[in-house]
Amino acid sequence: MRLLFFTLFSMLFFTDVNSAVLTEGQSKRLGIFSGRISRINEEAGLIRLKIDFVNMKYLNKRDQLEFWDERGPELKCKGYVVGKSNNYLLLKVPEFGYCKRFIYTAEGGYIVLFSQDLVNNLKMGKELLKILLKKRLALNSRLLKNQQNLDNHIEKVNAVNLRYKVLRDKLEAEWREELGSIEEDRLTSYRNYKDLEGRILDIDNKLEKYRIDDKNLKVDRWALDPRLYFPK
């Protein structure tokens, strides 16, 4: 299941980045965005815009841009970025008086903006995405390989257990056979021992039965008087 998830995720990510690459010829359009004026400081020549678009993160301080109102781009004003947050962009407009005369710049007004710096930043971002995608695909391939190894872990363990079970059974059979052979040798030696012991005992009995003494007369000590000792 996890292998399928990573494969689908890679396909979706690859499709999304390729879509950005395919629109490379439309980079001019990627430099156009819009915003609504939330505050104006005429003396400082500053305009704060409410902005909400994904590529806003590619706008940096000191990036130059031009803007116009809803009537069209025939009359434009120039400015540059002096600050930004997640949803707001602060512009410095050097010729604020001219812009105020020809472009609607009141609070709440809607303006359209274009930045060639944004286009250039997006181009570099796409190149970075290509590099990151190649790295991700390489890492993802290694990840999937390791995932397969993890998924095959139980099968490998079972295969090893089965192989060594066969070897263990064979070794135990040889061990029992060897012990049986030793026990058989012990029983054979024991029977031979008992047989020889019985034969020796029989010979001892016969030796005792047929024993021959060196003399036939025995000394009979009838009393303590040595004069009375005599054989009979």
Side-chain angles (χ1 to χ4, degrees):
M1 180 61 68
R2 283 187 289 179
L3 179 62
L4 178 61
F5 170 77
F6 283 123
T7 303
L8 292 176
F9 184 82
S10 298
M11 292 174 62
L12 291 174
F13 187 82
F14 183 77
T15 302
D16 184 61
V17 174
N18 272 342
S19 298
V21 173
L22 290 176
T23 58
E24 188 70 20
Q26 303 172 349
S27 59
K28 197 76 174 177
R29 293 179 54 187
L30 290 178
I32 299 175
F33 59 99
S34 62
R36 191 170 296 279
I37 300 173
S38 64
R39 182 171 296 180
I40 296 175
N41 186 335
E42 294 188 19
E43 294 181 359
L46 296 174
I47 298 177
R48 189 178 73 174
L49 298 175
K50 179 72 166 58
I51 302 292
D52 183 15
F53 71 109
V54 176
N55 292 337
M56 180 181 175
K57 56 180 171 285
Y58 284 96
L59 277 172
N60 303 314
K61 289 184 178 180
R62 294 185 295 275
D63 282 351
Q64 296 183 0
L65 47 79
E66 51 187 11
F67 60 93
W68 57 92
D69 58 25
E70 294 178 317
R71 291 174 293 181
E74 289 76 15
L75 295 176
K76 301 178 182 178
C77 281
K78 294 183 179 181
Y80 57 90
V81 179
V82 293
K84 71 172 185 177
S85 63
N86 293 334
N87 298 310
Y88 291 93
L89 196 66
L90 185 62
L91 304 182
K92 174 67 175 179
V93 183
E95 299 179 359
F96 190 83
Y98 169 82
C99 295
K100 183 178 181 181
R101 280 190 298 160
F102 297 101
I103 296 176
Y104 183 69
T105 55
E107 292 183 1
Y110 178 84
I111 61 174
V112 181
L113 304 96
F114 171 78
S115 173
Q116 185 60 44
D117 288 332
L118 174 60
V119 174
N120 297 335
N121 294 340
L122 288 173
K123 288 181 180 179
M124 290 188 294
K126 289 174 185 177
E127 294 300 321
L128 176 62
L129 284 176
K130 291 180 184 178
I131 296 173
L132 292 176
L133 177 60
K134 290 180 180 179
K135 290 184 178 180
R136 190 187 187 283
L137 290 176
L139 292 175
N140 191 57
S141 177
R142 294 170 58 186
L143 178 67
L144 294 178
K145 183 177 180 180
N146 284 276
Q147 183 63 53
Q148 289 175 347
N149 290 336
L150 291 174
D151 294 339
N152 295 333
H153 172 71
I154 299 300
E155 295 181 6
K156 292 180 180 179
V157 170
N158 292 336
V160 170
N161 288 338
L162 179 61
R163 184 168 72 251
Y164 280 93
K165 181 180 183 301
V166 173
L167 294 175
R168 184 174 63 247
D169 294 342
K170 181 179 180 181
L171 184 62
E172 288 183 354
E174 293 178 356
W175 172 58
R176 293 191 185 95
E177 183 179 356
E178 191 69 22
L179 288 179
S181 177
I182 294 174
E183 180 64 17
E184 184 176 352
D185 291 343
R186 187 191 72 82
L187 292 176
T188 300
S189 297
Y190 180 76
R191 286 194 293 268
N192 292 336
Y193 173 83
K194 285 298 184 181
D195 179 66
L196 292 173
E197 186 180 46
R199 291 170 63 182
I200 291 174
L201 182 61
D202 181 62
I203 290 174
D204 288 342
N205 291 332
K206 289 180 178 180
L207 287 173
E208 181 64 26
K209 180 178 179 180
Y210 296 108
R211 184 171 63 87
I212 298 175
D213 202 353
D214 293 337
K215 52 186 178 180
N216 295 327
L217 297 177
K218 293 182 178 180
V219 176
D220 182 20
R221 196 170 73 175
W222 181 79
L224 295 179
D225 190 351
R227 293 176 301 172
L228 300 178
Y229 289 162
F230 59 94
K232 65 176 182 178

